[in-house]
Short mmCIF file of all heavy atoms in Angstrom, two decimals:
data_model
loop_
_atom_site.label_atom_id
_atom_site.label_comp_id
_atom_site.label_asym_id
_atom_site.label_seq_id
_atom_site.Cartn_x
_atom_site.Cartn_y
_atom_site.Cartn_z
N HIS A 1 107.55 116.68 55.66
CA HIS A 1 108.83 115.97 55.58
C HIS A 1 108.70 114.82 54.60
O HIS A 1 107.62 114.34 54.31
CB HIS A 1 109.25 115.48 56.97
CG HIS A 1 109.82 116.59 57.81
ND1 HIS A 1 111.15 116.79 57.98
CD2 HIS A 1 109.20 117.59 58.48
CE1 HIS A 1 111.35 117.86 58.72
NE2 HIS A 1 110.17 118.35 59.05
N ASN A 2 109.84 114.41 54.11
CA ASN A 2 109.87 113.44 53.04
C ASN A 2 109.85 112.01 53.57
O ASN A 2 110.67 111.19 53.17
CB ASN A 2 111.12 113.67 52.18
CG ASN A 2 112.38 113.80 53.04
OD1 ASN A 2 112.29 113.76 54.26
ND2 ASN A 2 113.52 113.97 52.40
N VAL A 3 108.91 111.71 54.47
CA VAL A 3 108.82 110.36 55.00
C VAL A 3 108.00 109.48 54.07
O VAL A 3 108.31 108.31 53.88
CB VAL A 3 108.17 110.39 56.41
CG1 VAL A 3 108.09 108.99 56.97
CG2 VAL A 3 108.99 111.28 57.34
N ALA A 4 106.99 110.04 53.44
CA ALA A 4 106.09 109.23 52.63
C ALA A 4 106.79 108.63 51.42
O ALA A 4 106.46 107.55 50.98
CB ALA A 4 104.91 110.08 52.18
N ASP A 5 107.79 109.35 50.87
CA ASP A 5 108.44 108.83 49.67
C ASP A 5 109.64 107.95 49.99
O ASP A 5 110.48 107.70 49.14
CB ASP A 5 108.88 109.99 48.77
CG ASP A 5 109.83 110.95 49.47
OD1 ASP A 5 110.20 110.68 50.63
OD2 ASP A 5 110.21 111.96 48.85
N GLY A 6 109.72 107.47 51.22
CA GLY A 6 110.76 106.53 51.60
C GLY A 6 112.05 107.17 52.08
O GLY A 6 112.97 106.47 52.47
N GLN A 7 112.11 108.50 52.08
CA GLN A 7 113.30 109.17 52.57
C GLN A 7 113.24 109.30 54.09
O GLN A 7 112.17 109.37 54.67
CB GLN A 7 113.42 110.55 51.93
CG GLN A 7 113.59 110.53 50.42
CD GLN A 7 114.84 109.80 50.00
OE1 GLN A 7 115.91 110.02 50.59
NE2 GLN A 7 114.73 108.95 49.00
N PRO A 8 114.41 109.32 54.77
CA PRO A 8 114.39 109.45 56.23
C PRO A 8 113.87 110.81 56.66
O PRO A 8 114.07 111.81 55.96
CB PRO A 8 115.87 109.28 56.61
CG PRO A 8 116.62 109.69 55.39
CD PRO A 8 115.78 109.24 54.24
N PRO A 9 113.20 110.88 57.80
CA PRO A 9 112.75 112.18 58.31
C PRO A 9 113.97 113.05 58.61
O PRO A 9 114.99 112.56 59.11
CB PRO A 9 111.97 111.83 59.57
CG PRO A 9 112.47 110.49 59.97
CD PRO A 9 112.84 109.78 58.71
N THR A 10 113.87 114.33 58.32
CA THR A 10 115.00 115.24 58.48
C THR A 10 114.57 116.50 59.22
O THR A 10 113.57 117.12 58.87
CB THR A 10 115.58 115.63 57.11
OG1 THR A 10 115.99 114.44 56.42
CG2 THR A 10 116.77 116.56 57.26
N LEU A 11 115.33 116.85 60.23
CA LEU A 11 115.15 118.11 60.92
C LEU A 11 116.09 119.13 60.32
O LEU A 11 117.18 118.79 59.85
CB LEU A 11 115.46 117.96 62.42
CG LEU A 11 114.77 116.84 63.20
CD1 LEU A 11 115.36 116.76 64.59
CD2 LEU A 11 113.28 117.10 63.26
N ARG A 12 115.70 120.40 60.38
CA ARG A 12 116.59 121.48 59.99
C ARG A 12 116.84 122.32 61.23
O ARG A 12 115.91 122.74 61.91
CB ARG A 12 115.98 122.31 58.88
CG ARG A 12 116.86 123.46 58.41
CD ARG A 12 116.36 124.05 57.13
NE ARG A 12 116.53 123.12 56.01
CZ ARG A 12 116.20 123.40 54.76
NH1 ARG A 12 115.66 124.58 54.46
NH2 ARG A 12 116.39 122.52 53.81
N VAL A 13 118.12 122.54 61.53
CA VAL A 13 118.47 123.25 62.76
C VAL A 13 119.44 124.39 62.47
O VAL A 13 120.08 124.44 61.41
CB VAL A 13 119.11 122.29 63.80
CG1 VAL A 13 118.17 121.15 64.14
CG2 VAL A 13 120.45 121.75 63.29
N GLY A 14 119.53 125.28 63.44
CA GLY A 14 120.52 126.35 63.43
C GLY A 14 121.40 126.19 64.66
O GLY A 14 120.91 125.91 65.76
N VAL A 15 122.68 126.33 64.47
CA VAL A 15 123.64 126.19 65.58
C VAL A 15 124.11 127.58 65.99
O VAL A 15 124.44 128.42 65.15
CB VAL A 15 124.84 125.33 65.16
CG1 VAL A 15 125.91 125.32 66.26
CG2 VAL A 15 124.40 123.91 64.85
N VAL A 16 124.11 127.83 67.29
CA VAL A 16 124.59 129.10 67.84
C VAL A 16 125.89 128.84 68.58
O VAL A 16 125.94 128.03 69.50
CB VAL A 16 123.55 129.74 68.78
CG1 VAL A 16 124.08 131.06 69.33
CG2 VAL A 16 122.22 129.94 68.06
N MET A 17 126.94 129.54 68.15
CA MET A 17 128.25 129.43 68.81
C MET A 17 128.52 130.73 69.56
O MET A 17 128.16 131.82 69.10
CB MET A 17 129.35 129.20 67.78
CG MET A 17 129.19 127.95 66.94
SD MET A 17 129.31 126.40 67.89
CE MET A 17 131.00 126.48 68.48
N ARG A 18 129.17 130.60 70.70
CA ARG A 18 129.50 131.76 71.53
C ARG A 18 131.01 132.01 71.50
O ARG A 18 131.80 131.08 71.67
CB ARG A 18 129.04 131.54 72.97
CG ARG A 18 129.31 132.74 73.89
CD ARG A 18 128.77 132.51 75.29
NE ARG A 18 129.46 131.43 75.99
CZ ARG A 18 128.91 130.23 76.23
NH1 ARG A 18 127.68 129.96 75.85
NH2 ARG A 18 129.59 129.31 76.87
N ARG A 19 131.38 133.27 71.28
CA ARG A 19 132.79 133.66 71.34
C ARG A 19 132.96 134.63 72.49
O ARG A 19 132.28 135.66 72.57
CB ARG A 19 133.24 134.31 70.03
CG ARG A 19 134.73 134.58 70.00
CD ARG A 19 135.20 135.01 68.63
NE ARG A 19 134.96 136.43 68.40
CZ ARG A 19 135.58 137.14 67.43
NH1 ARG A 19 136.43 136.53 66.62
NH2 ARG A 19 135.32 138.42 67.28
N GLU A 20 133.85 134.32 73.41
CA GLU A 20 134.04 135.14 74.59
C GLU A 20 135.52 135.46 74.76
O GLU A 20 136.39 134.64 74.43
CB GLU A 20 133.50 134.44 75.84
CG GLU A 20 134.03 133.04 76.03
CD GLU A 20 133.24 132.25 77.04
OE1 GLU A 20 132.02 132.51 77.20
OE2 GLU A 20 133.84 131.34 77.67
N PRO A 21 135.84 136.64 75.24
CA PRO A 21 137.26 137.00 75.41
C PRO A 21 137.91 136.21 76.53
O PRO A 21 137.28 135.89 77.54
CB PRO A 21 137.20 138.50 75.73
CG PRO A 21 135.83 138.71 76.29
CD PRO A 21 134.93 137.73 75.62
N VAL A 22 139.16 135.89 76.33
CA VAL A 22 139.96 135.20 77.34
C VAL A 22 140.68 136.25 78.17
O VAL A 22 141.24 137.21 77.63
CB VAL A 22 140.97 134.25 76.68
CG1 VAL A 22 141.90 133.63 77.73
CG2 VAL A 22 140.24 133.16 75.91
N SER A 23 140.63 136.09 79.47
CA SER A 23 141.28 137.05 80.37
C SER A 23 142.51 136.40 81.00
O SER A 23 142.69 135.19 80.97
CB SER A 23 140.31 137.51 81.46
OG SER A 23 139.84 136.40 82.21
N GLY A 24 143.35 137.23 81.58
CA GLY A 24 144.52 136.73 82.26
C GLY A 24 145.68 136.47 81.31
O GLY A 24 145.66 136.84 80.13
N PRO A 25 146.72 135.81 81.81
CA PRO A 25 147.93 135.57 81.01
C PRO A 25 147.66 134.79 79.71
O PRO A 25 148.36 134.98 78.71
CB PRO A 25 148.83 134.77 81.95
CG PRO A 25 148.34 135.11 83.32
CD PRO A 25 146.87 135.31 83.19
N MET A 26 146.65 133.93 79.70
CA MET A 26 146.36 133.13 78.51
C MET A 26 145.95 133.99 77.33
O MET A 26 146.07 133.56 76.18
CB MET A 26 145.26 132.12 78.81
CG MET A 26 145.71 130.91 79.60
SD MET A 26 146.89 129.90 78.67
CE MET A 26 145.85 129.39 77.31
N ALA A 27 145.47 135.20 77.59
CA ALA A 27 145.01 136.07 76.50
C ALA A 27 146.15 136.43 75.55
O ALA A 27 145.89 136.82 74.40
CB ALA A 27 144.39 137.33 77.08
N ARG A 28 147.40 136.32 76.00
CA ARG A 28 148.52 136.62 75.11
C ARG A 28 148.59 135.64 73.96
O ARG A 28 149.02 135.98 72.86
CB ARG A 28 149.84 136.59 75.91
CG ARG A 28 149.96 137.64 76.99
CD ARG A 28 151.23 137.47 77.76
NE ARG A 28 152.41 137.48 76.90
CZ ARG A 28 153.65 137.21 77.32
NH1 ARG A 28 153.86 136.90 78.60
NH2 ARG A 28 154.67 137.24 76.48
N TRP A 29 148.19 134.40 74.19
CA TRP A 29 148.25 133.36 73.14
C TRP A 29 146.88 133.05 72.54
O TRP A 29 146.79 132.59 71.42
CB TRP A 29 148.85 132.09 73.73
CG TRP A 29 150.25 132.26 74.19
CD1 TRP A 29 151.39 132.20 73.44
CD2 TRP A 29 150.68 132.54 75.52
NE1 TRP A 29 152.50 132.42 74.21
CE2 TRP A 29 152.10 132.63 75.51
CE3 TRP A 29 150.02 132.74 76.74
CZ2 TRP A 29 152.86 132.91 76.65
CZ3 TRP A 29 150.78 133.00 77.87
CH2 TRP A 29 152.17 133.09 77.82
N GLN A 30 145.84 133.29 73.31
CA GLN A 30 144.49 132.96 72.82
C GLN A 30 143.53 134.06 73.25
O GLN A 30 143.01 134.06 74.37
CB GLN A 30 144.02 131.61 73.39
CG GLN A 30 142.66 131.18 72.91
CD GLN A 30 142.19 129.88 73.56
OE1 GLN A 30 142.94 129.25 74.29
NE2 GLN A 30 140.96 129.49 73.29
N PRO A 31 143.25 135.02 72.38
CA PRO A 31 142.39 136.15 72.78
C PRO A 31 140.92 135.78 72.90
O PRO A 31 140.18 136.44 73.61
CB PRO A 31 142.61 137.17 71.66
CG PRO A 31 143.03 136.34 70.48
CD PRO A 31 143.81 135.19 71.04
N TRP A 32 140.48 134.71 72.18
CA TRP A 32 139.08 134.33 72.18
C TRP A 32 138.92 132.86 72.53
O TRP A 32 139.79 132.03 72.26
CB TRP A 32 138.44 134.57 70.80
CG TRP A 32 138.48 136.00 70.35
CD1 TRP A 32 139.37 136.56 69.49
CD2 TRP A 32 137.59 137.04 70.74
NE1 TRP A 32 139.10 137.89 69.32
CE2 TRP A 32 138.00 138.21 70.07
CE3 TRP A 32 136.48 137.10 71.59
CZ2 TRP A 32 137.34 139.43 70.23
CZ3 TRP A 32 135.82 138.32 71.74
CH2 TRP A 32 136.25 139.46 71.06
N ARG A 33 137.78 132.55 73.12
CA ARG A 33 137.41 131.16 73.40
C ARG A 33 136.04 130.90 72.78
O ARG A 33 135.11 131.69 72.97
CB ARG A 33 137.36 130.90 74.90
CG ARG A 33 136.94 129.48 75.29
CD ARG A 33 136.73 129.34 76.78
NE ARG A 33 137.94 129.63 77.53
CZ ARG A 33 138.12 130.68 78.32
NH1 ARG A 33 137.13 131.57 78.48
NH2 ARG A 33 139.24 130.87 78.99
N TRP A 34 135.91 129.78 72.06
CA TRP A 34 134.64 129.42 71.43
C TRP A 34 133.97 128.30 72.20
O TRP A 34 134.64 127.42 72.77
CB TRP A 34 134.87 128.97 69.99
CG TRP A 34 135.17 130.09 69.04
CD1 TRP A 34 136.40 130.59 68.72
CD2 TRP A 34 134.21 130.86 68.30
NE1 TRP A 34 136.28 131.62 67.83
CE2 TRP A 34 134.94 131.81 67.54
CE3 TRP A 34 132.82 130.84 68.19
CZ2 TRP A 34 134.33 132.72 66.69
CZ3 TRP A 34 132.21 131.75 67.34
CH2 TRP A 34 132.95 132.68 66.61
N ALA A 35 132.64 128.32 72.20
CA ALA A 35 131.86 127.26 72.85
C ALA A 35 130.52 127.12 72.15
O ALA A 35 129.99 128.09 71.57
CB ALA A 35 131.65 127.57 74.33
N LEU A 36 129.96 125.92 72.19
CA LEU A 36 128.62 125.69 71.67
C LEU A 36 127.62 126.32 72.63
O LEU A 36 127.63 126.04 73.83
CB LEU A 36 128.35 124.19 71.54
CG LEU A 36 126.94 123.77 71.14
CD1 LEU A 36 126.60 124.27 69.73
CD2 LEU A 36 126.79 122.25 71.22
N ALA A 37 126.73 127.18 72.10
CA ALA A 37 125.75 127.84 72.94
C ALA A 37 124.36 127.21 72.84
O ALA A 37 123.66 127.07 73.85
CB ALA A 37 125.66 129.33 72.58
N ASP A 38 123.95 126.83 71.63
CA ASP A 38 122.58 126.33 71.48
C ASP A 38 122.43 125.66 70.11
O ASP A 38 123.20 125.93 69.19
CB ASP A 38 121.58 127.48 71.59
CG ASP A 38 120.16 127.01 71.88
OD1 ASP A 38 119.97 125.80 72.13
OD2 ASP A 38 119.24 127.85 71.86
N VAL A 39 121.43 124.78 70.02
CA VAL A 39 120.95 124.25 68.76
C VAL A 39 119.45 124.53 68.72
O VAL A 39 118.72 124.07 69.61
CB VAL A 39 121.22 122.74 68.61
CG1 VAL A 39 120.55 122.20 67.34
CG2 VAL A 39 122.72 122.46 68.57
N GLN A 40 119.01 125.29 67.74
CA GLN A 40 117.60 125.67 67.65
C GLN A 40 116.96 124.98 66.45
O GLN A 40 117.53 124.94 65.36
CB GLN A 40 117.49 127.19 67.51
CG GLN A 40 118.05 127.92 68.72
CD GLN A 40 117.88 129.42 68.64
OE1 GLN A 40 117.41 129.96 67.64
NE2 GLN A 40 118.27 130.13 69.70
N VAL A 41 115.78 124.41 66.70
CA VAL A 41 115.06 123.68 65.65
C VAL A 41 114.37 124.68 64.75
O VAL A 41 113.57 125.51 65.21
CB VAL A 41 114.05 122.70 66.27
CG1 VAL A 41 113.31 121.95 65.17
CG2 VAL A 41 114.74 121.72 67.21
N LEU A 42 114.66 124.61 63.45
CA LEU A 42 114.06 125.52 62.48
C LEU A 42 112.89 124.89 61.73
O LEU A 42 111.91 125.55 61.43
CB LEU A 42 115.12 126.00 61.48
CG LEU A 42 116.41 126.56 62.07
CD1 LEU A 42 117.31 127.06 60.95
CD2 LEU A 42 116.11 127.67 63.07
N GLN A 43 113.02 123.60 61.41
CA GLN A 43 111.95 122.86 60.75
C GLN A 43 111.89 121.48 61.37
O GLN A 43 112.93 120.84 61.57
CB GLN A 43 112.18 122.76 59.24
CG GLN A 43 112.07 124.08 58.51
CD GLN A 43 112.20 123.93 57.01
OE1 GLN A 43 112.29 122.82 56.49
NE2 GLN A 43 112.21 125.03 56.30
N ALA A 44 110.66 121.02 61.62
CA ALA A 44 110.48 119.74 62.30
C ALA A 44 109.07 119.24 62.03
O ALA A 44 108.22 119.97 61.52
CB ALA A 44 110.71 119.90 63.80
N PRO A 45 108.78 117.98 62.38
CA PRO A 45 107.41 117.47 62.25
C PRO A 45 106.44 118.27 63.10
O PRO A 45 106.83 118.96 64.05
CB PRO A 45 107.53 116.01 62.74
CG PRO A 45 108.97 115.67 62.56
CD PRO A 45 109.72 116.94 62.82
#
């Protein structure tokens, strides 16, 4: 990581989003619902 050259330490991550079907009467207006599922660390100290 670029700490030695005076730059701030930086993590690299991947974000996982979940899309799930909406059931019931609401599905007429909103067929899908999104939610944050996970944040996975890809690069770190």
Side-chain angles (χ1 to χ4, degrees):
H1 283 260
N2 49 358
V3 181
D5 58 4
Q7 297 299 315
T10 301
L11 308 172
R12 180 168 291 181
V13 302
V15 174
V16 180
M17 301 294 297
R18 182 177 66 252
R19 186 171 82 162
E20 52 194 29
V22 175
S23 59
M26 283 295 297
R28 296 176 56 188
W29 296 277
Q30 182 184 354
W32 300 99
R33 178 188 299 112
W34 285 90
L36 174 64
D38 198 7
V39 174
Q40 297 183 356
V41 180
L42 309 183
Q43 292 184 5

